[in-house]
Amino acid sequence: METENSLLQSWQQSAYDYFAHMMTDRTAPYPCVPGVQGFLQDSLRFGFTGDPRSEQAAEQFADLLKDYGRISRETGPYASLVVFFDTRSFSSETTIDHYQSVFWSLIQRIHELDQAPWPEHVSPNPDDSSWEFCFDGEPYFIFCATPAHEKRKSRQFPHFLIALQPRWVFEDIHDGTAYGRKLKSAIRKRLEDYDSRPPHPSLKWYGQNDNLEWEQYFLADDENTPPKCPFMNRMNRIQR
């Protein structure tokens, strides 16, 4: 979508401008190398929705993701969908825990709007290492940033932000390739410099036996993780 035009509201333009600066700031290089490359190569796509607590925002988000899934492979090797949510009505005192609840509620609601079957090769159980969020048959890695994050600067953003990367982006980026291992080392080093703290212990490779993808979607400022994944797959409810 076109991001710099008179059709954007002021908060939307401000959110995009902040993101663009974050991706191109050479004095403090953003840790996600593929994300930065994707921005520089025009592989990222952007969307805006309303208050993430509203049903309208969930419906808008679901529509954006469905449309994106159809064109993502045409956008470049470092594809991502970045969605900015209007949080102007949120209090400045809103906590990370509250944003975390908003995040999982939103993910659950767009799952309920998904009319496609869950992919057979992806476990419907979040406690399985092969699980990851899927929508319209496409598996995604999800990243969330909020205004409440302070210690983990890499997860701080003036508005509620969700970025989704299709799983196919990581086909050559994993622990089984020399490129993947080299990239992981570079990202970890940049992450420590950017956040001024060790990476969260939940950050691991997809498919590792001890990895749970959902734990990486929303990271707290400290090293804690929820005791159980808040997401409930429709298939699990049917099986029960």
Side-chain angles (χ1 to χ4, degrees):
M1 66 172 293
E2 189 67 33
T3 55
E4 296 186 84
N5 58 59
S6 59
L7 296 178
L8 289 184
Q9 298 178 33
S10 60
W11 79 265
Q12 295 172 336
Q13 188 65 61
S14 176
Y16 175 79
D17 290 344
Y18 189 99
F19 183 87
H21 174 73
M22 190 170 67
M23 291 294 103
T24 56
D25 186 359
R26 294 187 178 182
T27 62
Y30 194 74
C32 182
V33 177
V36 172
Q37 290 300 312
F39 181 80
L40 296 176
Q41 297 174 14
D42 195 29
S43 294
L44 307 188
R45 295 297 179 266
F46 301 91
F48 302 90
T49 81
D51 188 319
R53 297 167 294 189
S54 70
E55 287 305 316
Q56 183 181 23
E59 293 170 359
Q60 292 172 334
F61 187 21
D63 288 342
L64 283 169
L65 191 51
K66 188 171 184 178
D67 290 343
Y68 177 73
R70 295 169 178 165
I71 58 92
S72 65
R73 293 179 185 272
E74 304 168 11
T75 63
Y78 297 121
S80 288
L81 172 65
V82 181
V83 183
F84 306 104
F85 294 82
D86 186 359
T87 49
R88 289 176 295 173
S89 64
F90 279 62
S91 166
S92 61
E93 303 300 318
T94 302
T95 65
I96 289 179
D97 286 345
H98 183 74
Y99 276 114
Q100 183 168 235
S101 296
V102 170
F103 169 77
W104 283 112
S105 173
L106 181 61
I107 295 303
Q108 187 67 50
R109 283 180 287 144
I110 67 168
H111 172 64
E112 301 295 342
L113 293 170
D114 187 8
Q115 298 179 350
W118 194 262
E120 293 184 0
H121 67 285
V122 178
S123 172
N125 182 4
D127 291 328
D128 189 289
S129 61
S130 73
W131 181 91
E132 58 188 329
F133 181 74
C134 300
F135 188 88
D136 201 30
E138 186 75 55
Y140 291 97
F141 177 80
I142 305 178
F143 169 97
C144 185
T146 80
H149 280 82
E150 296 179 354
K151 297 177 182 178
R152 295 192 189 279
K153 185 183 173 184
S154 58
R155 296 273 173 158
Q156 195 281 331
F157 197 78
H159 295 274
F160 189 74
L161 176 155
I162 293 180
L164 303 101
Q165 293 175 291
R167 173 51 48 189
W168 59 261
V169 169
F170 301 95
E171 288 177 353
D172 296 321
I173 306 176
H174 53 79
D175 206 30
T177 67
Y179 172 68
R181 292 189 293 272
K182 182 178 180 180
L183 184 60
K184 178 181 179 181
S185 177
I187 292 174
R188 294 243 165 185
K189 176 62 170 63
R190 288 172 63 151
L191 188 59
E192 287 191 33
D193 292 341
Y194 199 83
D195 286 350
S196 298
R197 61 187 300 123
H200 196 283
S202 293
L203 294 176
K204 300 172 184 176
W205 285 108
Y206 174 71
Q208 286 181 217
N209 291 333
D210 61 344
N211 175 64
L212 296 177
E213 285 290 282
W214 68 267
E215 291 184 348
Q216 304 184 48
Y217 291 175
F218 191 105
L219 297 182
D221 258 354
D222 55 26
E223 297 186 349
N224 292 327
T225 57
K228 182 179 180 181
C229 181
F231 177 80
M232 174 61 72
N233 195 300
R234 296 191 308 269
M235 291 179 61
N236 288 348
R237 288 205 298 268
I238 293 172
Q239 290 170 358
R240 290 182 179 183

